[in-house]
């Protein structure tokens, strides 16, 4: 009895979400047909769609997307995993916080572009430097949010855990981790986003495959439609991974009552 | 038997020390229901915290069945003013907590307790879906599952509206009559203290001490509007009026 109305609402949400991009596309295409656009600088949606179809057919797009996704995933798993572990550790222990947090906060401010040349010198042009650069980006959002999550555990519940005689591991599993989970999942979303963004930087500098390479290559030949295809694929892939985490969030945080947004 | 002797609690403060409790002497036999009443700052909640083992810095002695209280444990169930449920667990999981629901004995007892605190049908609900009174009943069931020797209740119904509170008092009396768990019940509500307690311990602040213990020899369920109830209520109330006339307390007052 509740389900149909819920799917209906979800459908409506999706339609409303599409309203803005669709009207922009329509206006864009109309402007191209009207001859108001320089098609080299700003190709019409139809040309971009054709390019997309051609690149998909030739296998160029799926292949490079796959390579890029694999790099982003490895970088995210490495950096995000370490960030999560470090965030939990520093969250638990004020000694650890005192020892490592100032350093990590300093490293956090280093831009990708500043360290990329060093990474290439140290680790070469191969996969290692790219994955490490992505990992560096993915580390910090998870570190910061896991840390905050552990610190935001309701102190009153610790008294309850003591009265119920929770063991250390029970306190960790039943109290601290669930309480920190909303923050950790937010960290996962941010880290995934940063991994995806760091990918372009990593691939823009000396790469012979991947989406970043396609973008860079297209730029040197002024193939704007290819650049647009690259950008759109980036956006779509980023949104897709984000949606997957959001889905996970909804499942894991069913107990949470959060404001869904008013009018 | 909960025995308190010469219990003194001092809070260090920037401007000298604050004596929260001075020389408390009290014995509470098994199965008794004792209420504690007094104005804020009289140390009644501090006393409960010490009995719970959550505060270990005090002078004097406090023993449960002859053994000194060292740290919190399930023997001493605590109900706080807020229900303090784990928001990520359902009602039944909150009651079981670190006891496994896969254990048949735990399952059965959780089911019994859910009936006892009148929450049948809400086993799978999350705390955010419960009213304040329901959540507090879950907290009570969680403590009772551990079969505590003593249940310490710190203004548990203070945040509830008058109707819910009256209902909760009846639920609590049902539980007490079914289980005969020793209960120490802290409140600042005069009616609640007299309605529930076999004895009412009247406490006064600066320094926190026991002014008088009034026995309430009325059968349950008590009629709030009846003359005997009102008479005892008057006795307790007059103790407070006396305090306001004579702010210098008698340090030796106890039982």
């Amino acid at each position: 009895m509740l389900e149909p109305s819920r799917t209906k609402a979800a459908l409506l949400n999706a339609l409303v979400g599409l309203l803005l991009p669709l009207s922009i596309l329509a206006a864009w295409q109309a402007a191209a047909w009207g001859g108001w656009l320089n098609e080299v600088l700003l190709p019409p949606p139809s040309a971009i769609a054709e390019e997309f179809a051609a690149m998909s057919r030739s296998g160029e797009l799926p292949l490079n997307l796959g390579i890029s996704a694999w790099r982003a995933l490895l970088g995210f798993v490495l950096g995000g995993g370490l960030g999560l572990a470090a965030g939990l550790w520093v969250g638990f222990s004020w000694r650890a916080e005192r020892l490592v947090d100032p350093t990590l906060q300093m490293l956090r401010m280093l831009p990708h572009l500043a360290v990329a040349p060093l990474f290439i010198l140290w680790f070469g042009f191969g996969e290692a430097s790219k994955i490490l650069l992505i990992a560096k980006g993915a580390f910090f959002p998870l570190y910061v949010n896991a840390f905050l999550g552990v610190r935001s555990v309701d102190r009153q519940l610790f008294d309850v855990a003591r009265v119920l005689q929770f063991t250390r591991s029970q306190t960790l599993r039943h109290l601290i981790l669930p309480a920190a989970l909303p923050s950790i999942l937010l960290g996962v979303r941010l880290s995934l986003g940063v991994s995806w963004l760091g990918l372009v930087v990593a691939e823009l500098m000396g790469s012979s495959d991947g989406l970043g390479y396609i973008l860079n290559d297209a730029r040197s030949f002024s193939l704007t439609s290819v650049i647009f295809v690259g950008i759109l694929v980036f956006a779509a892939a980023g949104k897709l991974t984000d949606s997957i985490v959001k889905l996970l969030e909804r499942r894991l945080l069913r107990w949470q009552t959060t404001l869904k947004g008013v009018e | 038997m909960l025995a308190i002797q010469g219990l003194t609690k001092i809070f260090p403060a920037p401007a000298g020390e604050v004596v929260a409790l001075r020389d408390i002497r009290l014995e509470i036999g098994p199965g008794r229901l004792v209420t504690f009443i007094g104005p804020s700052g009289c140390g009644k909640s501090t006393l409960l915290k010490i009995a719970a083992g959550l505060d270990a810095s005090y002078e004097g002695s406090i023993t449960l069945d002859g053994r000194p209280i060292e740290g919190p444990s399930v023997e001493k169930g605590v109900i706080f003013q807020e229900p303090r449920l784990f928001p990520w667990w359902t009602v039944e999981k909150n009651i079981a907590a670190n006891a496994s629901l896969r254990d048949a004995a735990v399952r059965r007892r959780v089911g019994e307790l859910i009936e006892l605190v009148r929450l049948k049908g809400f086993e799978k609900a999350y705390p955010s879906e419960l009213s304040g009174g329901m959540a507090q009943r879950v907290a009570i069931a969680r403590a009772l599952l551990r079969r505590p020797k003593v249940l310490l209740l710190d203004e548990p119904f203070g945040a509830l509206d008058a109707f819910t509170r009256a209902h909760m008092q009846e639920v609590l009396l049902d539980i007490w009559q079914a289980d005969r768990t020793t209960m120490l019940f802290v409140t600042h509500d005069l009616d609640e203290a007299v309605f529930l307690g076999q004895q009412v311990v009247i406490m006064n602040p600066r320094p926190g001490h026991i002014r008088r213990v009034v026995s309430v020899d009325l059968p349950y369920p008590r009629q709030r509007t009846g003359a005997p109830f009102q008479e005892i209520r008057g006795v307790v109330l007059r103790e407070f009026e006396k305090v306001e006339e004579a702010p210098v307390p008698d340090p030796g007052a106890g039982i």
Side-chain angles (χ1 to χ4, degrees), chain B residues 94-112:
Chain B
N94 257 294
I95 296 173
N98 53 343
S100 173
L101 273 173
R102 264 167 282 177
D103 182 333
V106 172
R107 270 201 90 78
R108 203 184 50 238
R109 178 86 177 127
V110 167
E112 286 169 12

Side-chain angles (χ1 to χ4, degrees), chain B residues 59-131:
Chain B
E59 293 156 35
S61 89
I62 176 162
T63 58
L64 182 60
D65 293 344
R67 280 178 296 126
I69 288 174
E70 288 164 343
S73 76
V74 293
E75 275 191 341
K76 304 164 300 260
V78 185
I79 308 297
F80 301 94
Q81 183 167 359
E82 325 77 31
R84 301 199 189 179
L85 302 180
F86 294 92
W88 41 86
W89 277 344
T90 58
V91 164
E92 55 179 2
K93 185 66 188 126
N94 257 294
I95 296 173
N98 53 343
S100 173
L101 273 173
R102 264 167 282 177
D103 182 333
V106 172
R107 270 201 90 78
R108 203 184 50 238
R109 178 86 177 127
V110 167
E112 286 169 12
L113 284 167
I114 284 174
E115 295 236 4
L116 183 65
V117 297
R118 306 181 194 173
L119 280 172
K120 196 127 188 62
F122 290 92
E123 291 88 345
K124 307 285 182 202
Y126 285 95
S128 59
E129 299 167 295
L130 304 178
S131 69

Side-chain angles (χ1 to χ4, degrees), chain B residues 161-182:
Chain B
D161 65 79
F163 293 106
T164 312
R165 187 183 308 184
H167 171 68
M168 291 293 288
Q169 290 162 356
E170 278 156 26
V171 172
L172 189 77
L173 283 178
D174 281 354
I175 293 168
W176 178 65
Q177 283 168 331
D179 262 35
R180 289 287 161 176
T181 307
T182 313

Side-chain angles (χ1 to χ4, degrees), chain B residues 128-141:
Chain B
S128 59
E129 299 167 295
L130 304 178
S131 69
M134 291 161 90
Q136 200 58 289
R137 279 180 272 159
V138 176
I140 292 171

Side-chain angles (χ1 to χ4, degrees), chain A residues 153 155-157 159-167 170 173-176 178-179 254-257, chain B residues 49 53-54 72-78 80 82 84-89 97-98 126 128 142 146:
Chain A
V153 181
R155 278 184 53 86
Q156 294 190 328
L157 288 180
D159 277 346
V160 175
R162 286 175 68 202
V163 171
L164 297 178
Q165 290 181 295
F166 276 20
T167 61
Q170 284 173 340
R173 283 180 294 127
H174 298 331
L175 174 55
I176 296 171
R254 231 177 336 174
W255 51 272
Q256 237 186 5
T257 44
Chain B
K49 245 187 150 172
L54 287 168
S73 76
V74 293
E75 275 191 341
K76 304 164 300 260
V78 185
F80 301 94
E82 325 77 31
R84 301 199 189 179
L85 302 180
F86 294 92
W88 41 86
W89 277 344
N98 53 343
Y126 285 95
S128 59
R142 174 172 68 186
R146 276 115 190 125

